[in-house]
Amino acid sequence: MLEELDVKNFALIDSAHIEFAKGFTVLSGETGAGKSILIGSLAFLLGGKAGLEQIRTGCHEAQVCGTFLLDCAEAKDWLSEHGIEDEDGRILLRRVVRDTGKSSAWIGGVSVTRADLSSFAAFLVDLHGQHEQQSLMRIPEHRRYLDSYAGIEEEVRAFTTLHGSLVEKRRSLEDFATDEEWRRNRIEMLGFAVDEIDAARLKEGEDEELEAEESRLSSFEKLYSDMEEIRSLLDGGGEGVGVMAILRKMNGIASHAVEMDKGLETLQGRLQASFYELDDIADEFHRYADSLVFDPDRLSKVQERLELIYKLKKKYTSGPATGVADVLSYAEKARQQLEELSGLANDKSALAAEVASLEKQVYAAAKALSAKRKAAATKMSSAVEGILACLGMKDASFRVSIVEKPGTTVSQNCDSHGMDNIQFLISANPGSPLLPLAQIASGGELSRVMLALKTILCGADTAGTLIFDEIDTGIGGEITVGIGEHLKKLSKKKQVLCITHLASIAVYADNQVKIQKGVAGNTTSTNVFPISGQERVKEIARMLSGDASSVESLGHAAAMLHKFGGM
């Protein structure tokens, strides 16, 4: 249940804080006051699209926060699975969109993705707007409504997976007939690649080691010259006193000086350490110089090996800049593909048997789903008709038509959701034939059918809050009284929020929130605040006749509120 909503710098809303109660809450206001903005802020909070247009002019970011009372086990399980803790059975959702175009979302103080936010919010709120009402015009959506009512959504998802396996296996089987020559060529090419790479006996990192050796061998003369020069500098050679002799003499002098001044011990120690370190370095250079040997045969072999590796890299990787590991990786993948292709070639008969078995499973599962749908369709038709009668369509007939898809094979009989073509049919008047809902229903009739569907589905729906935006589209007169009464009954089981222009619906509400546009200077703002008592009477009067001040309008409004329990 939604308990509190805070909106800041969202479109025309500067700042709004609304506390919601249980039961039936109506949100009202003049046309253009910003009712759709408030619903938009809720949709944004629940994981809807984020855009720069949602940020109030002159601001850097828009923010919406909502506190929800957790009243379903599924929501608590979701939080537990994601390591998020609630606070006294409540959870705070927060979402921000910035003028950089980036948006962020949090559940209980934990940063989450938009997908996670939307997934979790589905357990809390079911928001019905005019765009959803139009889903009744799309026949494929009818199956979704029926499956939800029948409680077989998990079974349908399992069927979709099974059917997908059949499609994949059948495609593999068809490949045998259409791609046999390609497969033979592919096996030959992959086999050649594996043999060529295996014959090279490559070792990971070998190219780097060979490049280092090739550089050393090809630079022998320069390296030898450099070593001789270092030797001369260290040992003196024929050019005079070397570095080592100088350091040795310095060390002796420093040792003598220490005898006269103990304060020089630290410096003398450092000098002595430097002497030993340089002496060790000199030995290392000597050993390296003694190991230098010009070997033209080895250089030739190294260069030949590098040329082979270069060709393999160019042939089997993205280019020579890659490593030997990439060549070896290609060989491993080629082996796997060879096994798969060879396995397919060897198991054609086994694959055909598997396809036949899957076809039987798919057909049996589709039959089982169809039987459950037909049983649910009868109950659903009666339930919708019963609610439509309360909503002013007492003579309407509603049917869920289920027709098996035409065809003689599983591939023709079934799609990913089963073997049924499902469509809603309606007859709004006595004696009129049942025809597709999309062909004959008016806007007002669609609203009432959608409300009926929402009502019968809410028992299986985990969401504790139902939000109806413009449920009164195309409806007027006495019919609206039935809708108001029905929403009131629905609010006994769920928290119901409804945006409406009609007083005959608003008077049934337990609570009323007014949305009002105001202008201060050159700034336009939308204000949101609860109303009760005389303020609510005035708002109902305005909704009735556009007159919120006359004695007649106020008296009529008060009488309606008293009669229908809104006060």
Side-chain angles (χ1 to χ4, degrees):
M1 184 186 89
L2 176 62
E3 291 188 325
E4 294 182 51
L5 182 70
D6 285 282
V7 185
K8 187 173 182 180
N9 299 327
F10 190 93
L12 292 178
I13 300 177
D14 178 16
S15 180
H17 173 79
I18 318 164
E19 294 183 4
F20 293 96
K22 294 180 180 180
F24 180 19
T25 298
V26 155
L27 298 96
S28 65
E30 294 182 357
T31 300
K35 298 185 294 298
S36 61
I37 293 175
L38 186 63
I39 290 297
S41 71
L42 262 169
F44 169 72
L45 176 64
L46 300 173
K49 181 182 73 69
L52 296 180
E53 71 280 359
Q54 295 167 328
I55 303 175
R56 182 174 169 81
T57 302
C59 299
H60 296 296
E61 67 176 34
Q63 176 177 275
V64 183
C65 301
T67 301
F68 292 84
L69 177 66
L70 297 173
D71 43 18
C72 82
E74 290 85 349
K76 294 179 181 179
D77 290 342
W78 191 98
L79 291 175
S80 179
E81 290 170 5
H82 290 77
I84 302 174
E85 295 184 1
D86 60 66
E87 186 172 343
D88 297 327
R90 288 171 173 79
I91 197 73
L92 175 70
L93 305 189
R94 181 163 72 96
R95 194 161 183 223
V96 174
V97 59
R98 301 177 180 82
D99 55 10
T100 58
K102 294 183 178 180
S103 68
S104 304
W106 294 265
I107 298 177
V110 177
S111 179
V112 297
T113 64
R114 176 187 171 189
D116 280 342
L117 177 65
S118 180
S119 173
F120 176 66
F123 294 118
L124 306 177
V125 178
D126 184 0
L127 198 161
H128 164 68
Q130 288 184 343
H131 69 282
E132 187 179 0
Q133 182 171 301
Q134 295 306 309
S135 67
L136 288 176
M137 306 295 280
R138 299 190 292 272
I139 293 175
E141 290 295 298
H142 297 181
R143 177 202 59 77
R144 186 172 64 84
Y145 284 112
L146 176 60
D147 288 348
S148 179
Y149 180 76
I152 58 173
E153 292 167 302
E154 286 296 329
E155 293 175 57
V156 173
R157 280 191 280 271
F159 177 87
T160 300
T161 301
L162 182 64
H163 183 269
S165 297
L166 173 60
V167 171
E168 183 181 347
K169 296 295 182 181
R170 186 184 285 119
R171 187 180 295 120
S172 297
L173 187 60
E174 290 171 352
D175 286 345
F176 279 105
T178 58
D179 296 331
E180 194 64 41
E181 183 177 353
W182 173 88
R183 188 166 26 259
R184 284 197 299 269
N185 292 336
R186 182 70 176 162
I187 288 173
E188 183 179 348
M189 185 194 77
L190 291 172
F192 178 83
V194 170
D195 291 343
E196 186 177 24
I197 295 171
D198 285 349
R201 298 182 180 278
L202 298 175
K203 297 178 182 178
E204 193 168 336
E206 178 184 5
D207 50 343
E208 295 176 0
E209 294 176 4
L210 289 170
E211 286 168 358
E213 186 178 1
E214 193 263 348
S215 175
R216 186 169 61 252
L217 290 169
S218 62
S219 303
F220 171 80
E221 291 183 4
K222 177 60 178 170
L223 270 173
Y224 190 81
S225 174
D226 288 345
M227 292 304 102
E228 286 299 305
E229 186 173 354
I230 289 173
R231 274 180 169 179
S232 178
L233 289 171
L234 289 169
D235 301 333
E239 299 181 5
V241 179
V243 171
M244 295 306 301
I246 292 172
L247 278 176
R248 188 177 292 107
K249 185 175 182 179
M250 287 175 64
N251 191 43
I253 295 170
S255 297
H256 183 260
V258 166
E259 294 176 0
M260 294 177 282
D261 185 356
K262 297 298 182 180
L264 294 172
E265 280 185 342
T266 300
L267 283 175
Q268 191 272 333
R270 290 169 61 189
L271 180 62
Q272 189 175 50
S274 299
F275 171 76
Y276 289 141
E277 175 66 16
L278 192 59
D279 189 49
D280 186 61
I281 291 172
D283 287 343
E284 290 290 336
F285 272 118
H286 285 314
R287 281 193 290 273
Y288 178 80
D290 292 341
S291 70
L292 284 176
V293 178
F294 179 60
D295 188 346
D297 290 337
R298 176 59 185 168
L299 177 60
S300 177
K301 290 178 181 178
V302 167
Q303 289 174 336
E304 287 177 6
R305 183 68 174 169
L306 283 173
E307 180 63 23
L308 171 62
I309 293 174
Y310 175 87
K311 289 179 180 178
L312 292 176
K313 287 181 180 180
K314 189 175 181 180
K315 193 172 184 179
Y316 297 117
T317 72
S318 59
T322 57
V324 167
D326 295 297
V327 180
L328 295 172
S329 176
Y330 179 89
E332 184 57 33
K333 291 177 181 177
R335 284 190 190 89
Q336 292 174 4
Q337 290 183 42
L338 275 171
E339 290 179 8
E340 292 172 5
L341 292 171
S342 299
L344 285 175
N346 296 331
D347 296 336
K348 182 177 180 179
S349 58
L351 186 59
E354 189 174 359
V355 167
S357 175
L358 279 171
E359 285 180 341
K360 291 178 181 178
Q361 293 177 54
V362 166
Y363 192 75
K367 276 288 189 183
L369 284 178
S370 185
K372 291 182 179 181
R373 283 170 175 157
K374 288 172 181 175
T378 302
K379 295 179 181 179
M380 186 179 191
S381 298
S382 298
V384 171
E385 283 183 354
I387 295 172
L388 290 178
C390 297
L391 299 179
M393 295 178 68
K394 61 182 179 180
D395 295 322
S397 295
F398 180 88
R399 293 290 181 276
V400 181
S401 169
I402 300 179
V403 178
E404 188 174 317
K405 296 179 186 293
T408 55
T409 67
V410 173
S411 60
Q412 293 172 307
N413 280 110
C414 298
D415 62 14
S416 60
H417 299 111
M419 63 186 345
D420 303 310
N421 285 324
I422 299 166
Q423 186 173 11
F424 294 162
L425 307 177
I426 192 169
S427 170
N429 302 299
S432 299
L434 287 161
L435 293 173
L437 183 67
Q439 293 182 18
I440 66 167
S442 65
E445 288 166 342
L446 280 177
S447 293
R448 283 176 280 176
V449 171
M450 177 57 80
L451 180 55
L453 288 171
K454 283 292 179 184
T455 301
I456 65 173
L457 291 174
C458 78
D461 192 359
T462 61
T465 300
L466 301 180
I467 301 176
F468 294 99
D469 181 17
E470 309 286 3
I471 193 67
D472 52 17
T473 300
I475 298 173
E478 295 181 0
I479 295 171
T480 58
V481 175
I483 291 178
E485 186 177 21
H486 186 74
L487 289 172
K488 180 78 169 182
K489 290 179 180 177
L490 189 58
S491 70
K492 302 299 181 184
K493 299 178 180 178
K494 305 276 186 177
Q495 181 190 41
V496 175
L497 309 181
C498 177
I499 284 186
T500 184
H501 296 280
L502 301 176
S504 48
I505 291 178
V507 292
Y508 280 95
D510 302 301
N511 317 287
Q512 189 159 349
V513 174
K514 186 174 181 179
I515 301 166
Q516 181 175 287
K517 184 184 290 185
V519 179
N522 295 322
T523 303
T524 301
S525 298
T526 291
N527 300 310
V528 185
F529 50 91
I531 55 175
S532 59
Q534 194 58 31
E535 287 301 313
R536 188 175 180 194
V537 173
K538 290 180 180 180
E539 176 64 5
I540 295 297
R542 181 199 64 78
M543 296 173 74
L544 280 168
S545 61
D547 183 358
S549 59
S550 70
V551 175
E552 291 80 4
S553 295
L554 292 171
H556 188 191
M560 288 185 67
L561 283 167
H562 180 74
K563 179 180 179 180
F564 297 112
M567 288 188 71

